[in-house]
Amino acid sequence: MASRVIPVDPFDLVIFGGTGDLARRKILPGLFRRYSSGQMPEGARIIGAARSDLDRAGYQQLVNESIAEFGGAEKSDTAMLAKFLETLDYTPIDAKGEAGWDALSGMVRKDVVQAFYFSVAPSLFGDLAQRLHAHKIATDQSRIVVEKPFGRDLKSAKALNKSLRDHFDESQVYRIDHYLGKETVQNLMAVRFGNVLFEPLWNNHYVDHIQITVAETVGVGGRGAYYDRAGAMRDMVQNHLMQLLCLIAMEPPGQFGADEVRDEKLKVIRALQGVDPHHIVRGQYDAGPNGASYREDAENPRSFTESFIAMKVHINNWRWAGVPFYLRTGKRMKSRTSEIAVVFKDLGHSIFEGDEKRHRNILSIRLQPNEGMDLQVTIKEPGPGGMRLVDVPLDMTFAEALGDSDHEVTDAYERLIMDVIRGNQTLFMRGDEVEAAWAWTDPLINGWEGRNDVPKLYDAGSSGPEDALMLLHREGRKWRELKG
Ligand code: NAD
């Protein structure tokens, strides 16, 4: 099945930080993919703006090299790539000073969609917002795109929001959480609200518990210094896992509109209970045959920062009362796995004599690897020997189900950038959502910092610390296996 490409209106996209790591690895290769698929219209332009003293040709070369390194199969079309490079322009700019702003003002057109991607440190967001206005570059229609981390606590998130809202309306601000751009994450909503099968069961009458796992095999690598100030809670839970939790738990919005969806997500965050410290397990990976310990990677021999966290969370509302949501995320784990598993209750009574196993339907939605979903159902084990029951998955890998050959799962960044151009904020976090997420997160972090909590060591390549397994075991449940 060929993917349908809906062209967007002509635009000028200015990438502040256009020479940085994120721009080179994700944004520019993603834009080239959209260009190759015919989505970028004639007349669309991409303007890099960063500190490096480059001219247009120098920037084109940098982007060419970035696509050679990080681009997909489409980069082999050299004629297409040459045309894409023609859409690029560049100006050196100083976010904190006046250099470069007049030049930028002369480049950006007023009669097309204007988007400004702040792919720079958050400490520069306020400067960029202010100068875009002072130099009369931005208009009431301009859009700005900002990256995580959006603050490191409620106070800093509020300050960041203020620095943007002093110059832009909330309807112009696109806060990226690239998890929301993933195909499967959007499928969560399609599955829940596009089928009659699931929604009647989606509550505490039928759901025993829900597990959300985001496990990585990599360590903190070159990001050690940043990560050590953040930890898994700030780096992953406050944003990505929280977003997944919202989408799985929210009430059906009246329609699939940006504010309708975000209003429902916000209600989930506001309904989150505080977490009992006994229901939080923090871990740090130890040295292993394939790598150094967390403390070595972070170059902080006394670090108490968690590279793993597992927790049991409750949502205080009618639908989910009594249903635990177990969240876990970590680095240097057994496999690179992201999934959400909805574990349904077992039958109260079995009519099959001798069948003592607790059969459970489990709907699992995989973000990686092999984006897709499967539903564990109970059937009769084939062959003679009476009614022996066995649990098997009804498996659907999207790439197979949708026709492998020409269906490419669009990368989250490119999808989100095109949504910015279309003016669709549904998959972006609203300011109040981010603040509510920090309001829930702050007391948990303050709690363990106040207790001088020491993270438990876990073996690199494992499923995390033993205590995390116990979090479920003591309630007669178990984590889904990380298939390594
Ligand atoms: P980077 O350090 O590689 O690049 C920073 C960019 O900002 C460079 O282009 C630099 O020229 C520009 N810059 C710095 N100071 C400037 C100034 N005073 N005026 C104008 N330009 C200036 O950073 P990065 O990794 O590309 O990250 C950019 C943002 O995206 C950060 O907020 C980061 O937290 C976030 N982010 C990055 C990644 C990633 O994979 N790299 C992932 C998620 C979020």
Side-chain angles (χ1 to χ4, degrees):
M1 194 189 306
S3 37
R4 206 154 54 98
V5 172
I6 303 170
V8 296
D9 290 334
F11 60 85
D12 278 352
L13 170 65
V14 177
I15 308 176
F16 292 109
T19 59
D21 178 67
L22 181 67
R24 293 195 315 106
R25 272 191 317 114
K26 289 284 180 189
I27 303 172
L28 290 155
L31 284 165
F32 177 49
R33 249 160 84 118
R34 294 290 89 205
Y35 186 85
S36 304
S37 69
Q39 195 168 32
M40 266 175 67
E42 275 305 306
R45 291 189 325 176
I46 299 160
I47 302 165
R51 264 197 310 206
S52 311
D53 192 17
L54 296 172
D55 58 11
R56 179 169 184 241
Y59 191 57
Q60 286 170 322
Q61 189 185 336
L62 178 140
V63 175
N64 194 4
E65 286 164 7
S66 306
I67 289 172
E69 193 173 352
F70 303 111
E74 63 286 346
K75 69 188 176 198
S76 57
D77 187 344
T78 48
M80 183 72 83
L81 181 54
K83 273 173 67 188
F84 174 72
L85 295 177
E86 283 305 306
T87 69
L88 298 173
D89 210 338
Y90 182 82
T91 179
I93 208 154
D94 180 7
K96 288 192 160 300
E98 297 314 311
W101 288 94
D102 286 342
L104 184 65
S105 175
M107 286 175 171
V108 177
R109 296 168 294 176
K110 294 273 191 282
D111 55 348
V112 296
V113 173
Q114 293 178 346
F116 300 96
Y117 199 130
F118 292 6
S119 183
V120 295
S123 56
L124 298 179
F125 290 178
D127 294 298
L128 292 177
Q130 186 264 324
R131 288 196 163 76
L132 279 171
H133 267 84
H135 290 269
K136 298 194 169 39
I137 300 172
T139 70
D140 290 350
Q141 305 302 316
S142 306
R143 291 148 205 179
I144 57 171
V145 185
V146 297
E147 271 294 335
K148 88 165 210 193
F150 201 85
R152 55 175 283 107
D153 51 21
L154 180 58
K155 187 165 168 241
S156 53
K158 279 186 167 169
L160 271 183
N161 271 334
K162 180 171 183 324
S163 70
L164 299 177
R165 286 189 191 132
D166 280 347
H167 304 283
F168 292 91
D169 187 72
E170 179 64 35
S171 62
Q172 299 178 274
V173 182
Y174 292 72
R175 293 176 195 77
I176 286 211
D177 182 327
H178 70 271
Y179 264 57
L180 288 178
K182 287 179 186 281
E183 187 74 19
T184 317
V185 171
Q186 293 171 69
N187 246 317
L188 262 177
M189 288 184 277
V191 166
R192 280 194 62 190
F193 305 129
N195 292 285
V196 73
L197 280 184
F198 299 110
E199 200 48 30
L201 307 179
W202 217 258
N203 56 54
N204 59 1
H205 298 294
Y206 295 99
V207 174
D208 179 75
H209 72 278
I210 292 181
Q211 299 186 16
I212 303 179
T213 297
V214 178
E216 298 175 282
T217 50
V218 294
V220 293
R223 295 170 67 220
Y226 158 75
Y227 191 94
D228 203 43
R229 287 186 3 94
M233 186 69 175
R234 288 191 174 95
D235 193 48
M236 297 297 291
V237 178
Q238 186 272 345
N239 37 66
H240 305 321
L241 276 81
M242 179 78 80
Q243 290 296 322
L244 299 180
L245 175 72
C246 286
L247 295 177
I248 203 96
M250 72 184 188
E251 294 300 314
Q255 59 178 2
F256 191 55
D259 276 329
E260 288 85 349
V261 170
R262 298 186 300 176
D263 286 347
E264 295 306 335
K265 284 163 55 193
L266 179 62
K267 285 186 208 160
V268 174
I269 304 175
R270 290 194 172 148
L272 285 173
Q273 253 180 33
V275 185
D276 181 332
H278 295 105
H279 296 158
I280 303 176
V281 178
R282 297 165 64 242
Q284 244 183 22
Y285 60 82
D286 207 351
N290 300 324
S293 69
Y294 172 79
R295 288 182 172 191
E296 287 167 290
D297 279 349
E299 294 179 16
N300 180 359
R302 295 184 43 75
S303 174
F304 286 170
T305 303
E306 75 284 354
S307 63
F308 171 97
I309 189 161
M311 58 172 80
K312 178 167 106 165
V313 173
H314 279 280
I315 300 173
N316 272 335
N317 65 18
W318 195 275
R319 184 187 286 262
W320 295 116
V323 178
F325 287 70
Y326 298 100
L327 316 182
R328 72 175 158 168
T329 180
K331 296 201 172 287
R332 293 294 306 275
M333 295 184 68
K334 188 171 171 188
S335 66
R336 183 164 178 251
T337 303
S338 297
E339 72 154 31
I340 301 165
V342 181
V343 181
F344 291 93
K345 292 188 173 170
D346 35 312
L347 293 169
H349 167 73
S350 173
I351 64 168
F352 303 106
E353 202 179 324
D355 179 50
E356 273 152 23
K357 189 167 181 284
R358 296 167 75 193
H359 298 283
R360 283 194 158 160
N361 296 122
I362 302 175
L363 176 69
S364 81
I365 299 141
R366 293 190 301 272
L367 280 73
Q368 64 194 17
N370 305 329
E371 287 196 289
M373 40 190 274
D374 70 61
L375 179 63
Q376 181 176 294
V377 292
T378 303
I379 60 167
K380 176 187 170 298
E381 199 174 317
M387 282 296 275
R388 284 171 294 132
L389 302 187
V390 61
D391 298 331
V392 293
L394 278 175
D395 196 342
M396 183 175 79
T397 299
F398 293 151
E400 285 167 14
L402 299 176
D404 200 17
S405 55
D406 55 1
H407 178 84
E408 289 210 55
V409 179
T410 311
D411 183 71
Y413 273 97
E414 53 193 88
R415 179 196 311 281
L416 292 172
I417 295 170
M418 289 301 127
D419 275 0
V420 173
I421 307 297
R422 287 193 199 95
N424 182 353
Q425 289 184 302
T426 311
L427 300 177
F428 297 84
M429 293 179 297
R430 210 167 54 190
D432 52 2
E433 248 184 279
V434 178
E435 290 184 13
W438 280 119
W440 177 77
T441 311
D442 275 2
L444 306 184
I445 296 177
N446 294 340
W448 69 63
E449 286 181 353
R451 293 190 299 277
N452 289 326
D453 181 78
V454 182
K456 307 278 186 299
L457 286 182
Y458 61 96
D459 292 336
S462 73
S463 301
E466 189 65 25
D467 290 30
L469 305 181
M470 290 310 298
L471 188 64
L472 273 74
H473 274 199
R474 63 178 175 237
E475 297 173 352
R477 301 183 172 108
K478 65 176 195 295
W479 287 108
R480 304 256 302 160
E481 200 185 325
L482 295 178
K483 298 198 176 78

